[in-house]
């Protein structure tokens, strides 16, 4: 099977829907629920916008994603990049991410390290769409639905004029925002949702280039039990209880992420 990363500079034409799955975080039961959705099964492409394997079932999740074959378009997230660079003494700072990196073989880590930061696809009704993890220029940068227009101007400054839609992830909260002449879409998180249990994802086109935020409910109690049973991570049960059950509200997440977009500094200077 060819697991090479796609060319980040290529634009590929597609005439059917594109499903966007972000921040899976190796929660295999959530991923399986989304992949069973009829619209995902029918999608021409499934774009994976990063932070895919940093979680309790990394090997199993990688195998399931690779089984998608050429339908999958892989993009690196910050957790994927950090896992790929993991070496003794240079492990990711998050304990679960460090454990997950240790579960993957050298070839798997090399594959993660080969993933592009951005991919541009031509989507019916939307034209060229740029997919990334956090922002087009940085895989850890914070940009939220309520970020200042000036912030969005900064993070979108390098995007080609022809691209009028940008799809990102990273902050685990779904939104659609129109700013500076561009539509910005965040599908939310498949495996670590904030606000309510279930898997968040997005569908782009067909039908005039519609953008639809989707939510797939699944038995999260059974998912937590499965993770506790099948994962060897020491903190698997506690991790699943926190993230799969979505103990953190969207409001708490916004409060935590908010300072990262520079809003506090802007307020302090009267900007």
């Amino acid at each position: 099977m060819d697991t090479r990363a796609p060319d980040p500079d290529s634009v590929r034409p597609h005439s059917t829907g594109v499903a966007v799955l972000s921040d899976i975080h190796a929660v295999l039961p959530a991923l399986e629920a989304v992949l069973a959705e009829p619209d995902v099964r029918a999608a021409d492409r499934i774009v994976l916008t990063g932070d895919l394997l940093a979680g309790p079932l990394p090997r199993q999740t990688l195998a399931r994603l690779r089984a998608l074959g050429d339908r999958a378009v892989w993009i690196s997230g910050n957790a994927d990049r950090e896992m790929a660079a993991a070496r003794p003494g240079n492990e990711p700072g998050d304990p679960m991410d460090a454990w997950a990196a240790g579960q993957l073989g050298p070839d798997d880590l090399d594959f993660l390290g080969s993933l592009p930061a951005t991919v541009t696809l031509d989507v019916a009704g939307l034209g060229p769409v740029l997919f990334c993890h956090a922002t087009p220029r940085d895989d850890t940068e914070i940009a939220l639905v309520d970020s200042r227009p000036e912030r969005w101007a900064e993070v979108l400054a390098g995007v080609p004029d022809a691209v009028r839609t940008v799809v990102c992830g990273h902050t685990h909260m779904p939104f659609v925002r129109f700013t500076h002449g561009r539509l910005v879409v965040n599908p939310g998180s498949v495996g670590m949702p904030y606000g309510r249990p279930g898997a968040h994802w997005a569908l782009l086109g067909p039908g005039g280039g519609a953008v639809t935020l989707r939510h797939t409910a699944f038995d999260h109690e059974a998912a937590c039990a499965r993770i506790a049973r099948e994962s060897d991570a020491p903190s698997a049960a506690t991790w699943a209880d926190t993230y799969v059950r979505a103990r953190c509200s969207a409001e708490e997440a916004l409060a935590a992420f908010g300072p990262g977009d520079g809003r506090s500094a802007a307020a302090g200077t009267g900007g």
Side-chain angles (χ1 to χ4, degrees), residues 65-220:
L65 291 174
R66 279 179 164 161
L68 296 173
D70 291 341
R71 294 177 66 210
V73 178
W74 301 69
I75 295 168
S76 177
N78 60 293
D80 307 305
R81 172 176 53 78
E82 292 164 4
M83 288 174 64
R87 300 291 184 273
N90 186 38
E91 295 86 0
D94 182 275
M96 178 61 81
D97 296 6
W99 174 86
Q103 303 305 299
L104 302 180
D107 290 345
D108 299 329
L109 295 175
D110 287 344
F111 173 64
L112 284 185
S114 75
L115 299 181
T118 67
V119 168
T120 300
L121 300 177
D122 196 51
V123 179
L126 293 172
V129 177
L130 187 151
F131 298 85
C132 60
H133 180 62
T135 73
R137 64 182 189 175
D138 191 292
D139 64 11
T140 61
E141 197 166 39
I142 300 298
L144 301 164
V145 66
D146 63 344
S147 291
R148 297 166 295 114
E150 295 81 6
R151 176 62 166 181
W152 282 109
E154 293 171 0
V155 302
L156 298 175
V159 176
D161 290 342
V163 173
R164 310 315 297 172
T165 303
V166 174
V167 180
C168 55
H170 187 53
T171 57
H172 298 204
M173 290 172 284
F175 68 81
V176 176
R177 173 170 174 166
F178 189 72
T179 181
H180 300 288
R182 290 187 171 95
L183 193 67
V184 179
V185 181
N186 189 318
S189 174
V190 170
M192 291 177 65
Y194 297 141
R196 62 174 172 175
H200 292 270
W201 55 284
L203 187 68
L204 311 183
V211 174
T212 309
L213 297 178
R214 301 288 295 270
H215 175 261
T216 297
F218 61 94
D219 189 339
H220 54 277

